[in-house]
Amino acid sequence: MSVTYIDAIRQAMTELLEEDPAVFLMGEDIAGKFGGAFKATKGLDARFPGRVLNAPIAEDAIMGMGIGAALEGMKPILEMQFADFGILALNQMGNNAGAHYYRTGIPLNLTLRMPCGGTPAGGPYHSQCPESLFAHFPGLHVFTPATVADAYFMLKEAVRIPDPVVFMEHKFLYRWLKADSWIDPEPLPVGSVRIARPGRDATVVAFSAMVPEALQAAELLQRECGYELEVVDLRCIKPLDVGGILGSVARTGRLLVVSEDFPWGGVAAEVISAVTTEGFHLLDAPPLRITAPDTPIPYHPDLWKAHRPGAAKIAQTARYLITL
Amino acid sequence: MVTARAFDTKISALYKAGKIFGGVFLGRGHEAIAAAEGVFLHKGQDVYAPFIREQAGRCAWGDSVLESARAYFGSASGLMRGRDGNVHWGNPAEGTPAPISHLGAGVAVVGGAMLAKRMKGQTGCVGLACVGDGTTSVGAFQEAANMIAVQKLPVVIVISNNQFAYSTPNSQEFACKSLTDRGIGYGYTVHECDGTDFLSTLQTMGQAIASARTGEGPQWVVANTLRMCGHGEHDDSCYIPQELKDAYADRDPLAVASRQLRELGWITEDEDAALAAECAEEVQRCVAQAQKEAPPAPASENWVATSWNPEHEEQ
C-alpha cells in the first residue's frame, strides 16, 4: 500500500480526535463534505460531529479563538488554509500565544497547521514559506516535516507538546511524496535532526520540500563525480538541533544550507550563524547557502522553477563547495 | 468602585513621585461601567477580559487590588512576576485572560473560551470582553465580533465609549451614527446606557449579562462616558475641550453612585465616608505590601519561553 504525506496528516488528525476529547479542528472550509482546500480534513466532520468547525475568513480571530479554547483546556488544531494567509494571524501567534507561557507560566496547547510552499502557478500569495517569521517570536515551536512518517509523527507530537506549535506542511509534498506507511517504528524525537543520507564530503542541511531536492542532488553528484553528500533533515527549525548539525559538519568539514524561503533573515542564515559561531574550527571552507531569490514568488511555472532552489542548483553549488 | 478610585489615586501619586516603572492608566469615568460588569459575573464559572480602565471591574469580579499593585511594581510574587506589568495582568486559571497591548486581541480569546466551555458541555456561563470606542476600528475586533456572532456564543462585548481613543475623537474614529449600529450589523442584541449613571448602567449590564447567560446569544453594550483623565498619567488630555470636561463636572460616576444610593436610602453620608476610609486603607495596605515584595531576580531568570523543550524530554 502506498500512502501520501497528506494521508499521513489526515490519519494523525483522525487518531488525535479519536484518542483525546479535548482535540478539535477549526479553520476555513474544513468541515462538511468539502473537507478543506486540500482535503486534509475530508470525512472528519461526519466522523466527529461538532469537533470540526468551519470558521469565517478571519485568521486573526481563528487564532485568538484557539488561544481562548486552549486556556479552557482544549487542544485546538487550527488550519490556516495557506501559510501566506497565516501571516494575518501573526499578532495573535507571536504577541499573544507565543508570549503567553513566559508572561503567565501557563502553556497553551494549540497547533497551527500551515499549508506552505511553492507549487507550479501558485503565484506570490499561495506559495510562501514564512517559517522564519513564525520562528522569530519566542514561545512558538516550528515543525517542518519532510517525510510521510514525520508528517504523521510530528503532527501527533505537536498536539502532545503543551505549547503552541506551528506545523509547516508543504503543499508540494502533499500528494507527490509517497511511502509504504506513515508509521516509523522508531521515530526520532522531535528536536533531533535526521541524517537523511550519510556522506563524507559535505553536509547539506535542508528541511521540508528541500530535503527530497537535496537527496536528488546527492544522488546526482555521486553518480557524476563520486562525491558523497551528507543530507541533514532539520525536521524542526525551532528548536534548532545545533548539536546534530555540528555533528555532521564535524564529519564533513563543509556546509551548504538549502531553504525554499527568501534569503533575508531566514533559516539558512540562522543555521550558518550557529555553525560559524559554535563550530568555526570544524569548517574547512566558507559555509554556503541556497535560498530563493529576494523577490516575490513568480506565477509562471518556468519562472517559478527558476526561482525555487532545486536539485541541479544544489548539486552544482555542492560541487563548488567541495572544491574550495 | 470606591476601592478602584482609591487605587487609581494612589498609583497616580506614586507615578508622579517617580515610583512606577512604566505607564499608569486610570479608570476615571469608567468605574460604574466596569463595576457593573464585574458584579454580575461569577469567578470560577465565567470569563472576564478587562482591559486598561477596568480596575473597578476587577474589584467587583473579586480580585484583590494587591494583584494590581504587584503588577505595577513588577513584584516577583505577582501573577506576572515582573515579566509583564501595569494593567497587563490576568489570572487565566481563574477566568481572566492576561491582556496584550494590541487592541481587540482579547475579544477572540473570550470567544474561544466560551466555545470551549460549550464543547465541554458547560452551560449558564458568560464571557465578557471589554473594549473602547477606538478598538471597534481594529480588524482583530471586527473579525472576533463576527465570529462570536456566527457561533452564537454567550459573549457580552462592552464598548466603553469614552469619546477619545488616546487623543482621537469619535468624529475621526468612526462614521456610523452610533456604535450600536456596528453591533446590529454583526447580529448582536444591542444595549446602550449612560455609563456615568450608576443605577442605569447596572440595569443595562445586568440585563445584557443575563440574556447571554440564558442562551439569548451574543450581546453588545455601548456604555457612554467621558475619560476623566489622560490616556495615561503621562498625558494631560489637552485635546479634550474644556466645555466637554465642564459638561461632565457633576457626572463623576462615584459621585453619581453615592448620590443615587443616598436618595434610595441604601447608604448614609456617614456610611459613605466610612466606606471611603476603609477602601483607602485597604489600598494603602496592598500597595505597601507590593512595594515591599522582592522584585524579579535577573540572575536567576531562566529565559525560557516554552514549557517543552527537547532537553527536558531526554531526561
Side-chain angles (χ1 to χ4, degrees), chain A:
Chain A
M1 189 187 89
S2 167
V3 293
T4 63
Y5 185 88
I6 199 164
D7 291 336
I9 288 167
R10 191 184 306 107
Q11 178 64 21
M13 286 193 286
T14 306
E15 291 177 19
L16 286 160
L17 284 162
E18 265 169 2
E19 290 160 7
D20 191 343
V23 172
F24 74 99
L25 316 183
M26 186 160 63
E28 295 158 15
D29 308 301
I30 68 167
K33 283 184 186 164
F34 189 64
F38 300 99
K39 312 297 171 202
T41 52
K42 184 91 178 162
L44 296 182
D45 188 14
R47 189 156 167 195
F48 303 99
R51 294 172 68 194
V52 181
L53 307 179
N54 265 348
I57 305 172
E59 286 78 9
D60 185 285
I62 291 169
M63 183 64 204
M65 285 254 187
I67 294 170
L71 281 175
E72 287 292 323
M74 299 297 280
K75 300 174 184 173
I77 303 176
L78 311 169
E79 180 180 309
M80 283 293 160
Q81 197 159 97
F82 284 85
D84 311 57
F85 306 147
I87 292 169
L88 291 169
L90 199 59
N91 182 50
Q92 294 281 18
M93 290 172 67
N95 286 318
N96 212 352
H100 199 267
Y101 177 72
Y102 184 74
R103 294 170 72 227
T104 66
I106 297 173
L108 294 172
N109 190 335
L110 50 89
T111 304
L112 279 113
R113 289 184 40 241
M114 292 272 185
C116 66
T119 52
Y125 308 115
H126 291 76
S127 303
Q128 293 174 67
C129 294
E131 65 274 340
S132 61
L133 215 51
F134 305 142
H136 173 77
F137 287 95
L140 304 174
H141 303 299
V142 184
F143 295 180
T144 51
T147 66
V148 172
D150 265 351
Y152 166 81
F153 171 70
M154 291 176 79
L155 184 51
K156 295 200 81 176
E157 284 291 280
V159 176
R160 185 184 67 81
I161 290 167
D163 300 313
V165 174
V166 187
F167 189 81
M168 305 295 292
E169 47 189 64
H170 202 292
K171 303 193 296 291
F172 187 81
L173 302 182
Y174 269 165
R175 290 179 172 80
W176 179 81
L177 199 63
K178 295 185 176 76
D180 291 336
S181 165
W182 45 65
I183 303 287
D184 177 351
E186 284 179 67
L188 281 171
V190 175
S192 296
V193 298
R194 178 177 67 98
I195 307 299
R197 178 186 170 113
R200 58 166 194 272
D201 296 315
T203 294
V204 179
V205 168
F207 59 100
S208 193
M210 291 298 104
V211 173
E213 297 292 337
L215 288 170
Q216 264 186 53
E219 193 61 40
L220 197 74
L221 220 53
Q222 191 204 23
R223 218 170 42 231
E224 287 184 357
C225 22
Y227 288 141
E228 296 284 353
L229 297 182
E230 177 149 303
V231 178
V232 175
D233 173 8
L234 288 179
R235 302 174 71 232
C236 162
I237 60 150
K238 195 177 186 186
L240 189 62
D241 179 11
V242 176
I245 301 167
L246 288 172
S248 175
V249 175
R251 287 190 285 278
T252 66
R254 286 177 162 77
L255 173 66
L256 169 63
V257 189
V258 188
S259 160
E260 186 181 331
D261 189 17
F262 311 124
W264 207 97
V267 174
E270 189 63 34
V271 169
I272 288 176
S273 163
V275 170
T276 48
T277 50
E278 295 180 41
F280 189 70
H281 59 288
L282 302 173
L283 290 164
D284 297 328
L288 299 178
R289 67 172 166 168
I290 302 174
T291 66
D294 193 18
T295 70
I297 299 159
Y299 161 75
H300 193 281
D302 292 347
L303 276 181
W304 171 71
K305 274 181 214 149
H307 186 268
R308 177 184 192 255
K313 189 164 184 190
I314 297 169
Q316 184 191 13
T317 312
R319 191 186 288 123
Y320 166 71
L321 175 66
I322 293 167
T323 63
L324 286 178

Side-chain angles (χ1 to χ4, degrees), chain B residues 54 62 85 184 223 279 283 289 301:
Chain B
E54 275 78 28
I184 295 165
C279 294
V283 165
Q289 182 180 331
E301 176 70 28

Side-chain angles (χ1 to χ4, degrees), chain B residues 67-183:
Chain B
E67 285 303 335
S68 300
R70 284 170 161 167
Y72 270 113
F73 290 107
S75 160
S77 311
L79 286 159
M80 309 307 276
R81 300 160 295 161
R83 292 175 171 191
D84 203 343
N86 62 53
V87 285
H88 298 109
W89 70 273
N91 190 353
E94 292 190 353
T96 45
I100 67 166
S101 298
H102 303 71
L103 301 179
V107 180
V109 174
V110 173
M114 301 322 290
L115 180 72
K117 283 179 186 286
R118 184 166 73 191
M119 294 177 103
K120 291 191 287 185
Q122 293 174 20
T123 53
C125 39
V126 172
L128 190 146
C130 301
V131 301
D133 41 296
T135 300
T136 67
S137 304
V138 178
F141 170 79
Q142 304 200 10
E143 285 190 13
N146 177 55
M147 202 159 157
I148 285 165
V150 169
Q151 284 289 342
K152 300 183 172 56
L153 294 168
V155 171
V156 182
I157 295 180
V158 178
I159 300 154
S160 297
N161 182 1
N162 68 17
Q163 308 184 47
F164 291 87
Y166 206 152
S167 76
T168 304
N170 281 178
S171 61
Q172 291 170 38
E173 194 68 51
F174 53 88
C176 49
K177 282 201 188 96
S178 161
L179 288 176
T180 54
D181 295 350
R182 293 194 162 171

